[in-house]
Amino acid sequence: MPRAGPACMTCREKCRKCDRGRPSCQRCISKGLVCQGYPDQFRFCGIASRGKWKNARIPVSEKIVQQVNLNPVSLTAAQSMAVTPAATIISGGSLTPPTPASVTRRSKRMTIESVLEKQVPEVGDDIKSLLAAEQTKTLLHHYDTFMAPHQIAELGDEKDNPYRAYILPLAKKQIGLLYAVLGLAAVHLGKLTDDTTLVKATSVEYRVKAIRALSEKIRKGQNTSLSDEEEDGVFATIQILLLHDIAETGISEHGIHITGAMSVCKSILISEGFNGRRQRAVFFIGNLAWLDIIRAFAGTRRLCFTQDFREMIATASGHRFELVNGCPREIFLIIGRVLDKAKEYKMGWTTDEDFRSTLMSAKFELHAWDAKSKTYPSSDPRWISVAIAFQFACILHIHRLLNPSQPASSPEIQTAVHEILDATADIPSDCTLIELMILPLFMAGADSLSRHSQYYVLARFREIERRSEMRNPVPADLLKQVWAARAAQGASHEHEGNISWRDFTCCPELPRQHDYLII
């Protein structure tokens, strides 16, 4: 059955379902809103317009699955179809955000979902021969010596760094995790050395094999019980695949990875819950739960983990949670409760009064939270600045949930922005803690109005990139789109409503939204 066309501009801005009524959307009319009309249809490009596959013809979709099974490396070409908006639309005095970059640049890799839809042949157990290969040794050395130290603050090169102590021994036993680590190391090393073969062929091939092995393991877990080692291998593989997303585009397409971990997480809860014996599992699941929070910042419907789950994680994980993610566990629980209620409200499961009451209570709790009285992973006083930055980043997000149209110039918005920027200024570029600050900097940047504060945010992003040699393009790209749209709005003098960064991460044409990993 053919589609009825794109959603109206009002429903697109609010990221909600549209009935596509003509000339006006009945959903808007029933809500007492002005329907702003419909955008031009998208045009599909039959030839790739840039990159390695420039001027190459795009294979039809039916061939993609065949090519995945025959030759994983050809996936880069098979999925490079571009979808571009035919025109920029300005209707009813408001600027319509452009289609997200995740839609205009189709994936160069296979997602877990596409693998699970089709039975995949079992991956052979060739760990010994793979570990003996020179390329494997080079990539594992790069991961161990260069990448792992940047994944957790302060521990860095220590032997008990869990990205070494947990992942590398598991990878030598779990073929899927080994493939995932090799894929991550290949894309990272390839970008450092400008080796396009590593980036566009080797990393893609390893990634495809990792996803195939992962899908087999998840399928096995649905029929029989997985061992502790197998379960931990699943969690570690998913986290490494997410780090691959961050290193490549910053976007995890269709939100598959985090959601896919839940069936295994639930089996652990049913069988034994979280305890000291499963610290390795607690470490990985805690990181996935924080990434779940981050993706829910872009859209509350994406939230997957429950508050009960988060409370168990906060109790069991210890300070390693902060060392990896930066956010204090108390704030993690507060914002988790907020996002749970926001999701209920979006889904129509709670009242406006209950929603606002919960958010106002959380905002008061966050303002009362005293960073100086808390304990941190070490005695370094700059941990207080990290905590304050996350504290006000969450306060800022609550403001936006309560009133999405509140102008960025509002005093309470700017107070939160200044608190974040001042806290970040206490952390020098040579301090390992600066690598934890991407999310707070991004939240402050989204509501920064002056050019010097915007410049400061981008400068700090560049410092973080130079430290880790890991560039996540999403934060800076989203901020530049917000600032450009806000500048255009100011030039038109039409109205003073807010322009939200979340508008640039939502595409109604996608049945399942992408995850924007702002870390």
Side-chain angles (χ1 to χ4, degrees), residues 47-61:
I47 298 179
S49 58
R50 66 182 191 178
K52 177 181 177 180
W53 302 97
K54 184 176 180 180
N55 298 323
R57 293 212 167 266
I58 305 302
V60 296
S61 59

Side-chain angles (χ1 to χ4, degrees), residues 451-476:
R451 285 185 295 172
H452 68 266
S453 61
Q454 294 171 2
Y455 178 85
Y456 172 79
V457 170
L458 294 181
R460 304 249 56 186
F461 282 163
R462 287 192 292 270
E463 289 176 359
I464 295 170
E465 180 186 344
R466 283 194 293 269
R467 264 196 65 87
S468 65
E469 292 289 356
M470 173 87 82
R471 180 179 183 267
N472 179 353
V474 157

Side-chain angles (χ1 to χ4, degrees), residues 229-241:
E229 193 170 83
E230 287 176 317
E231 288 176 341
D232 295 353
V234 167
F235 300 136
T237 300
I238 290 172
Q239 184 166 354
I240 294 297
L241 289 172

Side-chain angles (χ1 to χ4, degrees), residues 393-409:
C394 291
I395 289 171
L396 199 51
H397 191 59
I398 291 174
H399 281 303
R400 290 309 185 195
L401 290 173
L402 284 167
N403 184 5
S405 62
Q406 185 176 10
S409 57

Side-chain angles (χ1 to χ4, degrees), residues 123-140 171-183 202 205-206 209-210 213:
V123 178
D125 184 12
D126 58 347
I127 290 182
K128 289 185 178 179
S129 59
L130 186 58
L131 288 173
E134 287 302 316
Q135 184 181 70
T136 299
K137 294 177 182 178
T138 299
L139 293 176
L140 289 181
K172 293 177 181 178
K173 299 178 182 179
Q174 301 284 324
I175 188 70
L177 177 57
L178 179 56
Y179 282 137
V181 172
L182 293 176
T202 306
E205 183 174 7
Y206 282 136
K209 290 180 178 180

Side-chain angles (χ1 to χ4, degrees), residues 339-358:
L339 293 171
D340 266 347
K341 187 60 64 175
K343 180 178 180 179
E344 290 178 15
Y345 183 67
K346 277 281 188 181
M347 302 297 289
W349 299 338
T350 190
T351 64
D352 183 75
E353 181 181 359
D354 182 41
F355 167 70
R356 298 187 69 81
S357 174
T358 299

Side-chain angles (χ1 to χ4, degrees), residues 238-451:
I238 290 172
Q239 184 166 354
I240 294 297
L241 289 172
L242 288 167
L243 289 174
H244 192 140
D245 288 335
I246 293 165
E248 191 174 39
T249 64
I251 299 170
S252 182
E253 295 201 344
H254 310 301
I256 297 298
H257 294 141
I258 298 171
T259 306
M262 282 305 296
S263 61
V264 185
C265 290
K266 289 175 182 176
S267 70
I268 290 180
L269 286 179
I270 292 171
S271 63
E272 59 187 283
F274 287 133
N275 54 54
R277 188 177 68 82
R278 297 299 304 272
Q279 278 301 301
R280 188 170 61 184
V282 169
F283 174 76
F284 293 130
I285 295 171
N287 297 339
L288 293 175
W290 174 244
L291 288 169
D292 186 48
I293 292 286
I294 288 179
R295 70 171 182 171
F297 267 54
T300 53
R301 286 190 177 92
R302 304 173 196 182
L303 195 68
C304 179
F305 285 76
T306 65
Q307 187 67 2
D308 289 343
F309 214 97
R310 287 188 287 269
E311 287 173 356
M312 286 186 284
I313 289 167
T315 301
S317 61
H319 282 307
R320 279 182 172 177
F321 182 89
E322 285 92 341
L323 285 170
V324 174
N325 306 305
C327 183
R329 280 166 289 158
E330 292 178 17
I331 294 178
F332 163 68
L333 292 178
I334 295 171
I335 196 62
R337 187 170 71 247
V338 165
L339 293 171
D340 266 347
K341 187 60 64 175
K343 180 178 180 179
E344 290 178 15
Y345 183 67
K346 277 281 188 181
M347 302 297 289
W349 299 338
T350 190
T351 64
D352 183 75
E353 181 181 359
D354 182 41
F355 167 70
R356 298 187 69 81
S357 174
T358 299
L359 266 62
M360 291 298 293
S361 175
K363 186 172 76 167
F364 177 81
E365 188 177 355
L366 281 173
H367 274 292
W369 192 82
D370 183 9
K372 295 180 180 179
S373 67
K374 307 301 178 181
T375 59
Y376 297 100
S378 74
S379 59
D380 189 333
R382 291 171 291 198
W383 274 108
I384 297 174
S385 299
V386 174
I388 291 172
F390 277 95
Q391 174 187 10
F392 281 92
C394 291
I395 289 171
L396 199 51
H397 191 59
I398 291 174
H399 281 303
R400 290 309 185 195
L401 290 173
L402 284 167
N403 184 5
S405 62
Q406 185 176 10
S409 57
S410 299
E412 55 187 355
I413 296 290
Q414 287 304 305
T415 295
V417 169
H418 295 156
E419 289 282 357
I420 295 170
L421 297 183
D422 285 348
T424 309
D426 292 334
I427 306 175
S429 60
D430 61 351
C431 176
T432 181
L433 300 185
I434 191 63
E435 294 183 48
L436 301 171
M437 302 297 284
I438 292 179
L439 179 67
L441 278 167
F442 173 82
M443 295 299 293
D447 282 308
S448 290
L449 298 178
S450 64
R451 285 185 295 172

